[in-house]
Amino acid sequence: MKLAIVILNWNGKQLLEQFMPSIVKHSKEATVYLADNASTDDSVVFIKSNFPSVKIIQNTVNGGYAKGYNDALKNLDEDIFCLINSDVEVTENWLAPIIETFTNEANTAIIQPKLLDYNNKEYFEYAGAAGGFIDKFGYPYCRGRIFNTIEKDLGQYNDKADIFWASGACLFIRSNVFKQLSGLDECFFAHMEEIDLCWRAKNMGYHVTYVGQSEIYHVGGATLSNTNPQKTYLNFRNSLYTLTKNAKGNLFFLIFIRLVLDGVAAVKFLFELKFKHISSIVYAHFSFYRHLKTLLKQRKAFKNKQKYYNKTSIVLDYYVYHSKHYNCL
């Protein structure tokens, strides 16, 4: 089983200086690639000079996360692709449990390791924690992180578990499944495209698995922080994209309730005086309406939709019933 570790980079020399050493040191079982998204700094020169074993893929444009990885992976022939952010520190033997799981579980197509916070290593990291889920209306949450409440790692998620989505901060996928799914949806540009990818895989009958025996540390927000209005725009827009494309059930009811809940989120931002984030939600909705016809065509093309949620509304659970931790849901 051949494994490709592919790090997408755009003007990230400082991150590569900090985190590439751990990936090269602890990934002897794999071929490490740097997929550069047309950087204007000297990232590529730095890697060539300091890590000659790392292979370089030079994309001609900065197409974001989705196009960047699609372009980078199309000519690779390894059995497993690892899509990993440039702000991740890996640990010794982190690959062994991943390889073992793929070897023993033929229907497992996607795997996520345990994501811990690089800056506060006793806690899970926001972007994926111990594996992701979504509620009926498309709001994502994780084992170990619900909205902005992040759990301390006490060994409660040292297991192997079936999850709904794996974090794009570090996502392993069988190459044949990635190609079968036609890769990531480039309309997303960045954020939540991994949820869409996992959702499409689940609708095709594949399993998405969390492997807690493999640990990594993620900085998070190195490209766009959680306080950036652009991230709010992408998250709200792309969440509506995924729901429209993939959700089983009465779509117009789901979208109507979702738009109401997004309005509640805008009111929350109003009370917090985050006016740019309100504008981001409005722009996200207009972008969604502009692309609705295309999204409905994609929805029609995906025939085998499965039940995708265990919780009806994580918003109600969190804000009304005060269920702040995954095990309290």
Side-chain angles (χ1 to χ4, degrees), residues 240-304:
L240 287 167
Y241 281 12
T242 60
L243 194 65
T244 303
K245 287 174 59 178
N246 302 303
K248 181 179 181 179
N250 186 326
L251 178 64
F252 293 101
F253 169 76
L254 293 174
I255 295 298
F256 173 75
I257 299 299
R258 176 55 194 265
L259 296 182
V260 171
L261 292 171
D262 284 1
V264 173
V267 171
K268 180 176 179 290
F269 282 132
L270 178 63
F271 281 109
E272 295 172 348
L273 304 180
K274 296 179 178 179
F275 303 114
K276 289 184 179 179
H277 291 269
I278 298 173
S279 298
S280 294
I281 294 176
V282 173
Y283 292 144
H285 283 202
F286 278 117
S287 179
F288 168 67
Y289 301 141
R290 285 198 307 272
H291 292 91
L292 184 57
K293 185 176 180 180
T294 299
L295 294 167
L296 290 174
K297 286 183 180 178
Q298 290 177 308
R299 175 182 177 81
K300 188 176 181 179
F302 302 146
K303 302 294 185 182
N304 301 316

Side-chain angles (χ1 to χ4, degrees), residues 56-196:
I56 307 295
I57 302 169
Q58 291 188 288
N59 294 332
T60 57
V61 297
N62 177 20
Y65 184 96
K67 180 173 172 55
Y69 269 119
N70 285 348
D71 289 346
L73 299 178
K74 63 185 177 183
N75 294 319
L76 301 188
D77 62 359
E78 283 83 358
D79 304 297
I80 305 295
F81 297 151
C82 173
L83 286 59
I84 187 168
N85 284 10
S86 58
D87 59 347
V88 169
E89 179 183 80
V90 303
T91 59
E92 187 175 1
N93 296 321
W94 73 296
L95 291 177
I98 305 295
I99 294 170
E100 181 183 8
T101 302
F102 276 126
T103 301
N104 295 333
E105 300 178 12
N107 207 40
T108 291
I110 299 173
I111 293 177
Q112 181 199 303
K114 181 194 286 187
L115 262 65
L116 298 171
D117 187 343
Y118 177 81
N119 293 310
N120 195 356
K121 293 188 175 182
E122 294 183 342
Y123 284 82
F124 288 95
E125 205 279 312
Y126 181 94
F133 298 87
I134 57 171
D135 71 2
K136 184 174 183 177
F137 304 107
Y139 287 105
Y141 61 100
C142 305
R143 300 198 314 161
R145 191 274 296 172
I146 301 177
F147 291 109
N148 290 322
T149 299
I150 299 173
E151 295 181 36
K152 189 174 184 179
D153 177 20
L154 302 173
Q156 68 271 42
Y157 305 121
N158 283 352
D159 56 355
K160 183 186 294 182
D162 188 53
I163 57 175
F164 189 76
W165 58 269
S167 171
C170 183
L171 180 153
F172 293 82
I173 183 168
R174 294 185 189 271
S175 59
N176 64 318
V177 175
F178 187 85
K179 293 169 184 175
Q180 185 181 3
L181 295 169
S182 299
L184 296 155
D185 188 336
E186 296 179 11
C187 293
F188 283 61
F189 185 77
H191 296 293
M192 299 192 73
E193 62 277 269
E194 75 269 43
I195 298 180
D196 172 71

Side-chain angles (χ1 to χ4, degrees), residues 189-235:
F189 185 77
H191 296 293
M192 299 192 73
E193 62 277 269
E194 75 269 43
I195 298 180
D196 172 71
L197 182 74
C198 291
W199 200 334
R200 288 185 281 129
K202 295 282 277 191
N203 278 343
M204 294 183 69
Y206 292 112
H207 291 173
V208 181
T209 300
Y210 163 80
V211 178
Q213 295 77 29
S214 176
E215 291 187 356
I216 63 173
Y217 298 95
H218 182 219
V219 174
T223 304
L224 276 180
S225 74
N226 291 330
T227 59
N228 191 311
Q230 177 68 5
K231 189 167 188 175
T232 298
Y233 164 76
L234 290 169
N235 280 338

